[in-house]
Amino acid sequence: MAAASTPAPAAALAQLLYDESEVSEKCGELLRSLPKARGWMGAPPLYVYGGDWYYGGSLQGVLSTLKHFQPHDTDIILASVPKSGTTWLKAIGYSIVNRGKNGVGSEDKNPLLTNNPHDLVPFLELNLYAAKSVPDVTAIPPPRLFATHLSVRKMSAKYASCKVLYICRNPKDTFTSDWNFITRLRPPDEAAISVEEAFDMFCNGVNAFGPYWDHVLEYWNASLERPGSIMFLKYEDLIAQPHRHFVKIAEFLGCPFSEAEEAGGVVDEMVKLCSFDHLSGLEVNQSMTSKSLGAPNSIFFRRGGVGDSKNLLAPEMIDRLDRIAKERFSPLGLEF
């Protein structure tokens, strides 16, 4: 379900991602030393740090997460490249892990009915560790749920002692969703780059928290090497068989659905509760603002389906992404 109207630019979220004036002096020095490229937003540049691309405002939280976040054995990390199903994954993970607690699983009490998923499962680098001060997360009861857009190469040491649930989306729809998100996020007075230029950058690996290709492949390979601790999900598979994948996710996270829950329709109710149509239609996601990200919640819901790329990309652009995906992914057994 598309939003009824385009929300006003999300100034707080844009500032969090792009504004370099609030970063620490040490982070500012680092930014001045890094190679950079024109960003999708226009003026705010993208910087490459350790092989990954970031907007300047978000690098503060990246550095702080890598330095200060200490995972627990019971932690669950929901990982993704931006605009590949992150909001949905947060709703799914939160509902499965917390069912039976504080009304989760109840049609009239579930916190998802009155909270955006981003406010229930915080990002490490964009929420908790984004400020200059270091948060105390030790008091959060287990299992703690966090989210991240960081790559495996950045988080490998952290992932040694927790569960990681990773979602990816085919590159055509990922780019389309990301481009539309940036378009809605961009301030009205900001000169935009063209969709063709952004597309070319994406193909060449220049996108926030990317390269997309490396991000996906690293998690794919890690899931094959450590299947007990890293689970790889495809957005398209979740849409095609949600019940089956909810069951698999619950088993992976160590909280499988009981026979009684299955028989009582709990899984199907949870699938419906977390569905795009249901979440996007809630008042909280139509007219309210995210407490954690400072953006209209509606900005995180647009279409949510498969194949929207055909409404944005020319046939030759689609062919180009298909060729790159075949070259990069197919030799390693990953297909879309």
Side-chain angles (χ1 to χ4, degrees), residues 1 12 62 230 261:
M1 172 179 168
V62 171
I230 299 178
E261 286 177 314

Side-chain angles (χ1 to χ4, degrees), residues 1-79:
M1 172 179 168
S5 60
T6 301
L13 178 56
Q15 183 177 25
L16 172 67
L17 295 174
Y18 313 116
D19 186 7
E20 301 172 21
S21 64
E22 297 298 320
V23 301
S24 67
E25 181 178 348
K26 185 175 181 180
C27 182
E29 291 177 358
L30 175 61
L31 285 172
R32 289 188 288 274
S33 72
L34 296 176
K36 60 184 179 181
R38 189 181 183 192
W40 292 22
M41 284 283 287
L46 279 161
Y47 297 87
V48 62
Y49 171 70
D52 299 324
W53 291 91
Y54 308 102
Y55 284 103
S58 62
L59 188 58
Q60 176 83 48
V62 171
L63 297 174
S64 185
T65 297
L66 298 179
K67 181 177 181 180
H68 298 293
F69 173 58
Q70 297 297 323
H72 295 171
D73 291 346
T74 53
D75 284 352
I76 297 169
I77 309 294
L78 308 181

Side-chain angles (χ1 to χ4, degrees), residues 134-150:
V134 179
D136 181 6
V137 295
T138 58
I140 300 175
R144 305 185 306 183
L145 268 75
F146 303 115
T148 188
H149 287 319
L150 292 172

Side-chain angles (χ1 to χ4, degrees), residues 83-318:
K83 307 313 299 174
S84 59
T86 308
T87 307
W88 192 21
L89 185 66
K90 286 186 176 188
I92 294 170
Y94 180 86
S95 293
I96 288 176
V97 171
N98 291 288
R99 67 184 188 275
K101 306 173 187 175
N102 301 319
V104 176
S106 169
E107 292 185 2
D108 58 348
K109 295 181 180 179
N110 195 304
L112 277 171
L113 299 176
T114 52
N115 294 272
N116 182 270
H118 291 295
D119 293 332
L120 296 174
V121 183
F123 282 108
L124 292 169
E125 69 278 4
L126 297 179
N127 297 136
L128 296 175
Y129 292 89
K132 294 178 183 178
S133 59
V134 179
D136 181 6
V137 295
T138 58
I140 300 175
R144 305 185 306 183
L145 268 75
F146 303 115
T148 188
H149 287 319
L150 292 172
S151 64
V152 166
R153 75 165 66 95
K154 291 291 194 304
M155 295 291 284
S156 181
K158 309 290 185 182
Y159 288 167
S161 57
C162 58
K163 293 270 190 178
V164 180
L165 196 59
Y166 181 76
I167 191 169
C168 75
R169 194 177 189 180
N170 79 72
K172 295 171 289 191
D173 286 349
T174 298
F175 171 79
T176 299
S177 182
D178 205 359
W179 172 253
N180 281 291
F181 182 77
I182 290 296
T183 300
R184 303 171 85 192
L185 189 63
R186 183 188 300 113
D189 58 349
E190 184 65 61
I193 68 172
S194 67
V195 64
E196 291 80 10
E197 185 176 356
F199 176 81
D200 192 61
M201 294 173 70
F202 182 84
C203 289
N204 291 317
V206 183
N207 60 283
F209 292 95
Y212 164 86
W213 314 102
D214 295 348
H215 202 285
V216 172
L217 278 179
E218 286 181 13
Y219 276 97
W220 172 251
N221 289 330
S223 72
L224 297 178
E225 295 168 0
R226 298 155 57 186
S229 59
I230 299 178
M231 183 177 185
F232 189 97
L233 294 165
K234 295 180 187 176
Y235 183 90
E236 295 77 14
D237 290 346
L238 265 174
I239 286 182
Q241 295 181 303
H243 184 113
R244 177 172 179 264
H245 284 87
F246 272 58
V247 171
K248 290 179 64 176
I249 290 169
E251 291 174 351
F252 171 76
L253 296 179
C255 50
F257 292 102
S258 66
E259 292 184 4
E261 286 177 314
E262 285 267 24
V266 171
V267 181
D268 290 329
E269 289 179 6
M270 198 167 292
V271 168
K272 180 180 178 181
L273 175 73
C274 296
S275 71
F276 181 87
D277 285 345
H278 180 259
L279 290 179
S280 63
L282 294 173
E283 181 181 357
V284 64
N285 294 322
Q286 289 197 341
S287 60
M288 299 183 186
T289 298
S290 168
K291 297 185 285 290
S292 61
L293 294 175
N297 287 329
S298 58
I299 204 173
F300 302 109
F301 298 89
R302 199 177 64 86
R303 293 185 185 275
V306 176
D308 188 38
S309 55
K310 66 181 182 295
N311 297 314
L312 176 71
L313 304 181
E316 59 269 21
M317 299 167 83
I318 290 177

